[in-house]
Structures are given as C-alpha cells and as structure tokens.
Amino acid sequence: MRKISIHILTVFTLLVCSTACDEGFDEMNTNPVQPTTLDPGFLMNNAILLSTFDGVTLPYELAIVQQMVSPNSGVIAGGNYNQDNRPVTRGNWDKYYRDVLKHTTDVKRMTADDPERSNLYNMARIIHSNAAMVLTDTYGDIPYFEAGVGFLEGNVTPQYDPQQDIYADILTELEQASAALDANQPTESGDVLYGGDTEKWKKLGYSLMLRAAMRHSNVDPAVAEEYVGKAVAGGLMESNADNAVIYHDFNYTNEVGNTLNSTEANNYYLAAPFVSYLQENDDPRLASIAVRYVGAASGPDQNSAIAGTPPPGVTLSTDPAVQIGMPMGYDNATIIPVAANLGLASFYDFSQLDRTRMGSRDAPAYLVTYAQTQLLLAEAVVSGWASGNEENLYAEGIRAHMEQLADYGANTAVPSEAIDAYIQANPLNDANAIEQINEQYWVASFLNGPEAFANFRRTGFPDLAPNPFPGSEIDGDFIRRLTYPDSEFAVNTGNIQAAVARQGADDLDTRVWWDVE
C-alpha cells in the first residue's frame, strides 16, 4: 500500500512540475523581433528593382543588334560568335522568372481581396506583365498562368503556355490594371518607381500596352490596331517625367554598369554599325555615349587613362570624330590585324561605352520611356492604327531621348541647339518612314537589351548585315531567341519538352510566335 502511495505521489509531482515548466515556454522560445507578417509593398519594390537589366546577358542582346560587342570568348561568348552559351542565355530566366514573377505573384495573392491595397495589386499586375513580356520575347513559350506558385500551391512543375495565349492575357491584364488604378484609394507612397502616383502608373500601363500591341503588327494586325486604340484612349506617357526608370547608387548598383566596371571592364566595345550610324548622321548622342582610349595597347592603359594617369601616347577622348567602332565577326586573335590596318595600337583602341558616364555603376536603367512610346505611336499612325502627325511624333521621340540623356549627368546632356539642328536635318520621309522610326527606336533603346532585341526581330530594322563570324552555330542570318536553362530539362521535363515540340527546337534559330518571316 505504501508503494502505491509513493507511485501516485510521484506521478502527481511530475504533472505539477510539467505544468509549471510549460508556463511561459512559448514566450521564452519566440523571437520578439522576428516579423510575423510581410508588407507586400516591400515585395513590390523588390520586383521593381529586380526589373533592371542583367549584365549577364550582355553577350547576347546588344551584340545581336550590333550596338556592343566583344572579341573575347569563354564566359562572354554568345551573340558575338552566334553561339549558344547556356550559362549566359539563362540570365533573363533567372532574373525575371525566378525573382520578379515570383514577387509579383506573391503581391497579387496578398492584395487581391484587400480594397485598401487595390492600387498595389494593380501596380503588381503591370510589373508582372512587363517581366512576362521580357521572358516570352526572349524564350517564346514559358510558364505563365502557373508561374510563381511553387510555394503558394506546391506546383513546382508548371505548364508552359503558348506565347499567343500569354500575350492575349498580358493585354487583358494591362487594360484592366491600368483602368482600375484609382487616386481616391490609399496611396502606396513607398513605391520606388513613382511614389504611388496612380496617374503615372496608368501612363506606364497604357504605354506598355502600346508596346505589347505593336508586337502583333506582323502576326495579328487586327489585335494590334484594337489595342493601340485602347492604349491611346487610356492615356500614354506625356513627357520624360513619366519614364519608368530605376535609379541606382553605389549601394544598389546598375548591374550592367557593375559588369562593365569590374570583370569585363576591358572586354566590351561599341560595335561599328552603331558608331557608324551615329557618325554618318552627325548624331550628337555619340558624344554622350562613347569614349576612346586613343593609343591604348592594353586594358591597364584604359584603366590608367580613367584614373587620370595615362601612359605616354594614350589619351582619353569623347570627340565623336575620333570614335571607331569594333567591326563584327572577329575574335581576339583575328581582330588584331584589323586594328592594325586601321592604324590602332590594339583592339583596346576601339571605342567603348563610357563606363564613367552611361556605363557607370550608378547609372539609371530605363524600362519604358516616353521616347520609345512616341516612336511606337508614330509607327502606329503610319500603319493607320492611330490618328496623329507621324512627323511630329517621330521628332518628339528623338527629342525626348536626347533630353533623357541628361539624367546620366551634366556631362552626357545634349545641348538644346544640337537637338534642334539634328531634328531639322533628319525629317521623317514618308517613303521609308517605318525604317527611320525603328532606326531611332534602336538608338532610343540602347542599353535596354531585351527591348532592342525584340523590336529588331519584329521590324527587321535597322537593316544590319549578318554577323560574319566563321564559327557561327546558327543556320539563319541572326539569332532569333535564346535557349532555355538546362535545369528546366531536369526539373520540369515533360512540360518543357511539350513546349519544344509545339514551338520548335530549343536553339538560337527558332522564332517566337510574333516573329514571322
């Protein structure tokens, strides 16, 4: 009997101790400063900032449209050689699919049913649409309707959607989101793009809609005309103050500028077709864009010139008259005699993007601009899809881009008298208006690689000679798309194989849906 009493007492003591020990246990094991909720506005700002262009894809887009090129191989081989370099072609995928679309999907899910955050919801739809356009223009069919829901829904093998379906939804999203933005609703003042200004967001949405509509110009003119009309009626950008621009500083750097000022500082050069076009037309923008380290025999010679201590015989010049673009089609061995025949000290003597100005680490990045919008609208007028004066729109697009260059700093600003003189000397000619407009779009999209590449494929302008590099891996004259990441074939095998079967081979020759011959 005594043993039983002791046993009961022991159990009772353990229960009392257990209860006492549990008191305050949850509080003691909870981090009092750990956030339990995340403001979707922070995710939105991440999505916006990550929309800036990736230095990883420099070997492709700007080389394909012959604005910048490198004679070097290895990690920066790509469009310079017309070769498939998959660690590089995946750059836009990693940035816009894995990061931007994921964040905007989360923001939309968190705000869709919250009337207090309706403006944030619609802003997210616009940034989502921009990222989706970059992705589908780069690769063709992509996961779209099921993108970004791996954590939310457990779907880690999303279906790839046809580009035609993606564009149809992008147009719908832009139409609905732009119309729904409301200045009478709570302001998202923490927004890093426009400070919550719904009127500017509306103009961005409708200007992006114009861009998406014009992608249909060759494949579905009826859709192009319909949505050009809707974009114009909604209200497009009205000045450079409406530009969708991401500003950088030395804490948050421009990724292209960071590439050009670090590992690849001496590897990229302005391509001859781009420099020649600007020189032949006495374009004052060349003085804002280019620098040449005259007499440079090596990369260190360039670096010393930037530091203000050039070696004997080397001078730094931004004079348009002395700029010499690097011709297409050469590697770092075959370019040597070309440079010698031009009287250059080495290939380091060719002109570069000035990495202390437009190519700096703190240079702004422009996603959608008033200049581009005016030029697209001029083309739409020429095509009969909008009313207006195409000559004035064309001139205003040129003026807007030249004035935009002042954002990079006082030493890149184009004088107003030079702008006036250029516009007067280069009027729009009805006989080749589409070509002239899209040549100017090419210049106005400099450093926006995805857009320059897309518009070149859509229009065929500027009329560039194919890159003659002898080791080309493409069958056609130009690269038409970039290849999917190898990882997709490992982790999403069935869906990516279905996309390839529908769209065509996963190579650089396959055309995306809107890119018709």
Side-chain angles (χ1 to χ4, degrees), residues 67-351:
Q67 291 179 327
M68 288 175 61
V69 68
S70 175
N72 296 316
S73 58
V75 296
I76 59 172
N80 54 345
Y81 296 162
N82 283 334
Q83 293 177 351
D84 188 5
N85 183 357
R86 294 198 175 222
V88 175
T89 61
R90 66 176 295 157
N92 283 344
W93 187 279
D94 289 349
K95 169 177 279 290
Y96 295 98
Y97 183 78
R98 290 171 51 180
D99 289 333
V100 180
L101 286 192
K102 177 182 179 298
H103 290 323
T104 51
T105 298
D106 287 345
V107 174
K108 290 192 294 180
R109 186 68 64 93
M110 296 167 73
T111 58
D113 299 320
D114 184 353
E116 295 295 308
R117 308 303 292 270
S118 63
N119 282 331
L120 184 60
Y121 171 66
N122 289 300
M123 289 155 53
R125 295 167 81 184
I126 291 172
I127 295 299
H128 191 94
S129 295
N130 179 69
M133 282 180 65
V134 171
L135 283 163
T136 190
D137 291 344
T138 300
Y139 302 103
D141 295 0
I142 59 167
Y144 175 75
F145 293 102
E146 296 179 357
V149 296
F151 176 77
L152 295 170
E153 299 179 7
N155 181 358
V156 295
T157 56
Q159 176 178 301
Y160 280 61
D161 301 298
Q163 186 177 56
Q164 183 176 7
D165 296 346
I166 294 168
Y167 258 98
D169 194 68
I170 285 173
L171 288 170
T172 298
E173 282 289 286
L174 290 171
E175 181 180 12
Q176 293 178 353
S178 302
L181 287 160
D182 187 353
N184 294 317
Q185 295 298 316
T187 300
E188 295 291 339
S189 58
D191 152 38
V192 295
L193 194 59
Y194 291 124
D197 187 328
T198 54
E199 289 306 306
K200 290 185 183 296
W201 273 101
K202 279 179 177 286
K203 292 174 188 177
L204 171 59
Y206 287 120
S207 297
L208 195 56
M209 182 194 293
L210 175 64
R211 179 183 288 185
M214 294 301 288
R215 291 283 198 270
H216 294 73
S217 58
N218 298 321
V219 71
D220 197 336
V223 168
E225 182 174 11
E226 176 188 359
Y227 279 91
V228 164
K230 290 181 177 182
V232 172
L236 303 172
M237 290 179 172
E238 297 178 323
S239 73
N240 280 337
D242 297 326
N243 286 341
V245 54
I246 298 172
Y247 291 101
H248 299 96
D249 57 28
F250 285 92
N251 294 311
Y252 180 75
T253 56
N254 181 309
E255 295 184 32
V256 172
N258 200 48
T259 297
L260 294 177
N261 282 278
S262 54
T263 56
E264 312 304 336
N266 312 117
N267 287 334
Y268 284 100
Y269 295 82
L270 292 175
F274 188 57
V275 173
S276 297
Y277 175 84
L278 296 174
Q279 284 177 327
E280 290 165 5
N281 291 282
D282 293 322
D283 195 316
R285 286 172 286 194
L286 185 57
S288 301
I289 294 170
V291 66
R292 183 174 159 222
Y293 303 97
V294 181
S298 66
D301 283 355
Q302 294 178 349
N303 300 338
S304 297
I306 290 175
T309 56
V314 177
T315 58
L316 182 156
S317 178
T318 59
D319 182 355
V322 307
Q323 304 306 319
I324 302 174
M326 181 175 283
M328 303 293 298
Y330 298 93
D331 61 20
N332 56 9
T334 57
I335 195 64
I336 293 174
V338 174
N341 288 337
L342 291 170
L344 306 184
S346 68
F347 73 73
Y348 298 98
D349 203 349
F350 283 107
S351 297

Side-chain angles (χ1 to χ4, degrees), residues 478-496:
F478 293 95
I479 293 171
R480 309 310 300 190
R481 64 181 284 275
L482 302 189
T483 49
Y484 293 121
D486 286 335
S487 59
E488 280 294 287
F489 288 93
V491 301
N492 199 7
T493 308
N495 286 317
I496 194 171

Side-chain angles (χ1 to χ4, degrees), residues 382-404:
V382 172
S383 300
W385 299 333
S387 60
N389 185 304
E390 60 265 39
E391 291 89 353
N392 291 343
L393 291 166
Y394 171 75
E396 182 61 14
I398 295 171
R399 181 181 301 280
H401 184 249
M402 289 188 176
E403 291 178 348
Q404 175 186 311

Side-chain angles (χ1 to χ4, degrees), residues 347-371:
F347 73 73
Y348 298 98
D349 203 349
F350 283 107
S351 297
Q352 290 184 304
L353 169 66
D354 191 337
R355 57 186 187 266
T356 69
R357 297 186 294 161
M358 287 180 66
S360 70
R361 284 188 169 96
D362 60 343
Y366 294 86
L367 307 183
V368 183
T369 67
Y370 173 58

